[in-house]
Amino acid sequence: MSSALFTPTNARAWLARLDPRVKLLYVFGISVAAAVVQSLDELGVLFATAIFFSTGLRLPARGWGAILGILALTVWGTMLTQGFFYSFEPRTPLLTLVAPRGTGGDRFAGVVLTVEGLRYGAMQSLRLLATALAGFTVSLSTSPERMLAALSWFRLPTTLSFMTTAALRFLPLLIEEAIEVRQARKLRGYRFRIWGMPGDRFGSYRAELGILLPVIAAALRKAETLAESVTARGFDPYRPRTFYPPLAMRGWEKIVAAVLAGGSAALLVYGIGLL
């Protein structure tokens, strides 16, 4: 494609040059912290940390728009589901779709949007947002070859490392494909309407879901091309391979890596103790 949304060249120099092993330790540390910390303030600090490191990305407006859209959908979906299906007490209702009925063991709690559920969903969404944003920052600032080299250094099986790297690089391609399909439909007169098409309330939503079919077809074609390319180049996951240039941490990167590894280990021990 002539103008990909996400490319490693869109990272600022300090982030692009950062050793990929440090980046992976950063994502691991954020993930562990997101699973362990409990208070809203701590989760806010964690999310702010992820935002700070994401400033190392230098994306076009469409790229930031795609990321913000994914994060917004994550917040909306998490808060809405938790708001309706929060099962703890107290439960302060905001909106009742199906009224509670019954008593005792046969009591049906109904379908009620609650204040406590929305608050709990906001906390859970912060966990997801911090982890997702850290993952975006690393995957969009690291070339596939460097990512594969770092995963191999951590002794992950070569097959798993290759599949992970390929999956990360396929995500922006899928987003590009979806944008191109929507643009092609717009040229044919398609417009998304929140309240549906005339005479068909859910027509716009079915049309949006219909975008998945050509996107999946394009993904399968690209996967077939990738498989043929790998086979033609004699890739063998069971043979050792070398990477050029070889991975080499600078002095301060070794210190950061040690801090991240030690902090993650301490959080893991703390989290296990809470179980």
Side-chain angles (χ1 to χ4, degrees), residues 21 107 116 119 172 180-181 193 214-215 224-225 247 257-258 261:
R21 293 168 292 182
R107 185 177 185 276
E116 291 78 11
R119 186 180 297 115
E180 290 182 1
V181 172
R193 296 178 176 86
V215 170
E224 183 179 7
T225 302
L247 294 174

Side-chain angles (χ1 to χ4, degrees), residues 16-272:
R17 291 199 302 264
L18 190 63
D19 192 283
R21 293 168 292 182
V22 177
K23 295 181 184 180
L24 290 179
L25 286 172
Y26 159 67
V27 173
F28 180 70
I30 289 287
S31 302
V32 172
V36 171
V37 299
Q38 300 296 327
S39 75
L40 185 60
D41 291 340
E42 292 172 341
L43 289 171
V45 171
L46 188 67
F47 183 46
T49 302
I51 291 177
F52 172 77
F53 280 99
S54 70
T55 59
L57 294 175
R58 194 169 47 193
L59 302 177
R62 288 197 308 163
W64 283 118
I67 290 178
L68 291 176
I70 293 172
L71 297 182
L73 286 173
T74 300
V75 174
W76 177 80
T78 306
M79 291 185 65
L80 194 64
T81 53
Q82 293 296 330
F84 275 113
F85 300 106
Y86 185 75
S87 58
F88 302 99
E89 296 292 341
R91 301 174 77 235
T92 306
L94 281 177
L95 175 66
T96 301
L97 297 182
V98 179
R101 62 173 66 95
T103 57
D106 296 329
R107 185 177 185 276
F108 172 60
V111 181
V112 181
L113 184 66
T114 63
V115 174
E116 291 78 11
L118 289 175
R119 186 180 297 115
Y120 182 74
M123 287 187 60
Q124 298 308 312
S125 65
L126 281 177
R127 302 179 193 274
L128 298 174
L129 293 183
T131 306
L133 193 54
F136 277 130
T137 301
V138 171
S139 63
L140 302 180
S141 65
T142 311
S143 68
E145 188 274 336
R146 293 289 86 188
M147 183 74 74
L148 184 59
L151 292 172
S152 299
W153 188 88
F154 282 112
R155 299 295 187 269
L156 265 71
T158 304
T159 304
L160 180 60
S161 300
F162 183 81
M163 290 174 59
T164 302
T165 304
L168 288 174
R169 300 320 300 172
F170 256 73
L171 178 59
L173 291 177
L174 292 178
I175 294 176
E176 283 279 6
E177 290 288 348
I179 291 174
E180 290 182 1
V181 172
R182 293 192 88 255
Q183 289 176 340
R185 290 192 171 192
K186 285 182 179 180
L187 292 175
R188 294 182 175 91
Y190 166 74
R191 293 293 183 272
F192 176 76
R193 296 178 176 86
I194 295 178
W195 303 111
M197 299 177 179
D200 187 357
R201 170 179 280 186
F202 301 103
S204 290
Y205 299 96
R206 279 196 294 269
E208 290 295 320
L209 289 176
I211 292 176
L212 292 177
L213 185 59
V215 170
I216 292 173
L220 291 175
R221 288 195 298 270
K222 284 183 171 61
E224 183 179 7
T225 302
L226 177 62
E228 291 175 352
S229 300
V230 169
T231 303
R233 287 168 174 76
F235 176 74
D236 187 348
Y238 301 104
R239 290 185 178 181
R241 59 167 298 174
T242 57
F243 297 94
Y244 185 83
L247 294 174
M249 282 191 188
R250 290 164 286 183
W252 66 270
E253 289 178 328
K254 293 179 180 178
I255 297 174
V256 172
V259 171
L260 288 172
S264 300
L267 283 173
L268 277 175
V269 173
Y270 174 72
I272 294 174

